Structures are given as C-alpha cells and as structure tokens.
Amino acid sequence: MKWLVIGSIGLPMPDIFGRLQQGGLPHLNSSNSAKTSDAKKAYNCIAWAAGDTFRWWWPIRRPGVNYWPKAPRLETIEAFIAAFETLGYRKCNDGAKEEGIEKVVLYAKLHRGTLIPTHAARQLDAGQWTSKLGIHEDVRHDTVNDVAGPAYGEPVCYLGRPRPSTNI
Amino acid sequence: MTRVLSVLTTTLACSGILSAATWVVSGEEPSPQNVRAAPVAMEYVLNEPPPIIQPQFGFVVEPCIQDTCKFSQLVEDWQRERGVSSSTSESILESSAYLSILAMGPKAVPLILTQMNSEGDDPDQWFWALQLLTGVNPVPEESDGNFNEMARYWFDWAADAGYIW
C-alpha cells in the first residue's frame, strides 16, 4: 500500500488497478499492465482501437450522440467487424504477433442470450495490447486476457491490417 | 403600530422603501427627513397591495437547491454505475442514475448545462439527455461523437433559447 501524505494526514494513494479490478477487470494488475494516459471522456475503446482520440464510437442510431462509420448501427459483432473493415481491417485467426500486421481484438459478453460487443483492444508493435477503459485511462497490457472478465466478457474476434507507419 | 411593523417587515423587503421600515423598527429619533418618510411608508403598506414580483416563465427554469443536490448525487451515482463500460447503451440506458436525471424533466436542462460547463474541455455524454429533454438536436452530423464540438453547439443553442447556467 502506497501512502500519500496530505498535511499531517496520511491517506492511501488511489490505486488504479484496485479500482479497475472492482470495476469488473479482475485480471488487470501492475505486473501485467501499465497506465499510459490520464482519464479522458472524449473517446472510448473502439475509437482508441481505431486510432481516433477525438470521438466516442458506438453504433447508436439516434443522431447527435456518438460517431459510427459507414457500417450498420447495430450492437452485433458483425456490425463492429464492418466498422473496422472501413479502416482496412479484415478478420484473422488469432492475436499472435505478426510482423507488419496491426491487429485489433473485439470482446463481447452474453446479454439476455445474445453476444453483445463490449470492448476492443489494439496490438502494439511489441506484441502487447492497448485498451481505453471506458471514460478512464488507457492501459498497456501483456495479453488479451488481461482485460477479460465481468466487464468486457471474452475476446471473440481478431482483425488485422497492414501496420501503418505511425501508431498512436 | 405592532401590526404596521409586522406588515412592514414582511412585505417591504422588495418594495424599495426599506429605509422607512428601518426607521420604524429601529425607533431612532425622528428627523425632518424620516418624519416625512414614515407616514408615506405606512400609507403605502396599509392602503396598497404589496408589490407583486412576476415569475418569469418560458424556457428559463430556475432549479431549486433540492434539485441541484439531487442532480449532483445522480451524477456521482452515474459515474459509479457505468464503471469501465464503453457502451453508450449500457452506460446510459441501463443506468438508473442517468434515467433518474431524465425523469427530472426540463428542470434538469440548466443543471446539465452547468455540469457540462464545469467539465471544461472534457465534457461527458449529456447529449442524449439534452435531446430528450428539449426535443432538439443542434449538432450537425459531422460533429457526432466529438463531445467538445457537440458541447459548443449545445451551449450556443441553449444561449439562444434563453437558458441560464
């Protein structure tokens, strides 16, 4: 436990991983992941996986709420795949690191008997993954399973495309 | 005299003749100036109805302290309920706190605008609520999802519509 001294009162330092574990990411910890940004509400995990840090991506049909590319505005795996296909991604077999290929993994969980997309993570050059956690921080994590759990469910689909020359 | 004092202290606060009431209540020695003022004040109070402050109706809805407190609590609850979810459906439509804000009706609009203003360059997802509560969408399609731009469009619209936040 780290302590932050404010005046003469010692208070426990906010533990990002404790908070995230309580929030439904039980596998995330300081040995398999690291915070890489401050919390920001401007973009979400789908936007972050797609390389956009200015918009919140979600297939809401009502205009004036969220951004969604030219793809079906449905909360289905197929619609999310179609959204990433607009960026040049195509389905691939797994999340194994491949030279020159940038990969994205989609997560989903069962909701009333239907598989609903919940999260996306993008593979980094070194083979690790990067996730934006809702309105919270970006984290780098070693494996796709590090953010699996009650909040996001399980990884269900991988997509890949030739890696762009620069990465955010 | 007691009755006059009572009437004065309960009705003169907004009438612009408070100085006369002060003289009557304080019991200070009458001067030529306040001797003239006192009868005018009493006559005004006894013979004329108290001034009526017209409430302002229209788009401007002044939230009361109780609503402000309730709203603040709901905002806090919403942040907790949404957790790490990126899903707008999950974090809004399945959030009892967000739905409770919607249930507050039009009086929530200035509270939302105040909250969104306080969030500076990192505004939260208030746009769905604003749409449902006002019945309009001032955001052009090309700005969908860009919360900073969306917030600016909403502030411009709200200012034109007469909202104060």
Side-chain angles (χ1 to χ4, degrees):
Chain A
M1 172 74 78
K2 296 175 184 174
W3 293 82
L4 175 69
V5 176
I6 301 173
S8 60
I9 306 169
L11 297 173
M13 276 187 78
D15 177 3
I16 172 180
F17 294 110
R19 171 166 53 81
L20 294 173
Q21 285 165 7
Q22 287 178 352
L25 302 172
H27 308 305
L28 212 55
N29 58 57
S30 58
S31 63
N32 62 21
S33 52
K35 172 184 157 180
T36 52
S37 81
D38 288 331
K40 190 87 177 164
K41 303 186 199 87
Y43 61 98
N44 64 346
C45 61
I46 310 299
W48 177 242
D52 183 349
T53 57
F54 293 99
R55 291 180 294 192
W56 191 281
W57 289 39
W58 204 259
I60 295 297
R61 290 181 202 174
R62 174 182 285 271
V65 180
N66 292 158
Y67 172 77
W68 196 245
K70 300 291 182 197
R73 286 182 177 257
L74 296 169
E75 288 186 280
T76 63
I77 296 298
E78 291 74 22
F80 277 61
I81 291 170
F84 278 96
E85 283 177 345
T86 66
L87 302 173
Y89 285 94
R90 298 292 178 264
K91 280 182 77 172
C92 62
N93 292 332
D94 55 39
K97 182 179 176 323
E98 292 181 48
E99 203 60 43
I101 301 295
E102 182 178 60
K103 293 189 176 180
V104 162
V105 56
L106 300 179
Y107 295 76
K109 62 181 179 182
L110 272 177
H111 183 73
R112 295 170 186 160
T114 307
L115 210 52
I116 301 292
T118 55
H119 182 66
R122 174 165 41 87
Q123 195 173 40
L124 297 168
D125 285 348
Q128 295 170 307
W129 297 82
T130 180
S131 283
K132 172 73 161 62
L133 307 174
I135 59 169
H136 302 284
E137 298 86 350
D138 304 340
V139 294
R140 183 182 64 240
H141 47 101
D142 292 342
T143 71
V144 293
N145 291 322
D146 295 332
V147 293
Y152 295 149
E154 303 296 325
V156 294
C157 178
Y158 294 92
L159 301 112
R161 71 174 179 183
R163 187 173 288 283
S165 54
T166 56
N167 249 334
I168 58 169
Chain B
M1 189 60 170
T2 305
R3 179 169 173 268
V4 172
L5 280 174
S6 172
V7 172
L8 279 168
T9 52
T10 52
T11 62
L12 285 185
C14 304
S15 70
I17 51 176
L18 198 59
S19 58
T22 305
W23 170 75
V24 173
V25 173
S26 67
E28 67 182 80
E29 194 65 24
S31 68
Q33 195 174 8
N34 57 26
V35 163
R36 279 197 307 274
V40 171
M42 289 176 194
E43 187 179 345
Y44 181 89
V45 171
L46 296 175
N47 299 333
E48 292 183 21
I52 298 170
I53 300 170
Q54 293 289 344
Q56 293 191 349
F57 295 107
F59 284 109
V60 179
V61 183
E62 293 282 348
C64 70
I65 292 173
Q66 191 180 1
D67 290 332
T68 306
C69 292
K70 179 181 177 183
F71 179 81
S72 297
Q73 183 60 55
L74 289 171
V75 172
E76 201 175 300
D77 293 347
W78 180 41
Q79 300 302 339
R80 192 176 54 253
E81 283 179 7
R82 69 205 293 194
V84 294
S85 176
S86 279
S87 162
T88 302
S89 319
E90 189 175 52
S91 58
I92 289 182
L93 298 182
E94 295 180 23
S95 162
S96 61
Y98 200 91
L99 296 177
S100 296
I101 290 171
L102 289 176
M104 289 176 72
K107 65 186 175 186
V109 173
L111 296 168
I112 291 173
L113 294 168
T114 302
Q115 172 68 24
M116 195 160 72
N117 191 45
S118 75
E119 291 165 353
D121 63 356
D122 197 22
D124 213 333
Q125 299 220 43
W126 296 111
F127 313 106
W128 195 319
L130 287 170
Q131 276 193 38
L132 291 181
L133 294 171
T134 64
V136 301
N137 172 26
V139 178
E141 187 181 350
E142 59 269 24
S143 293
D144 279 1
N146 185 326
F147 294 170
N148 267 309
E149 288 183 8
M150 293 168 75
R152 277 200 292 276
Y153 281 110
W154 272 104
F155 286 133
D156 288 347
W157 175 85
D160 289 345
Y163 282 100
I164 298 168
W165 64 93

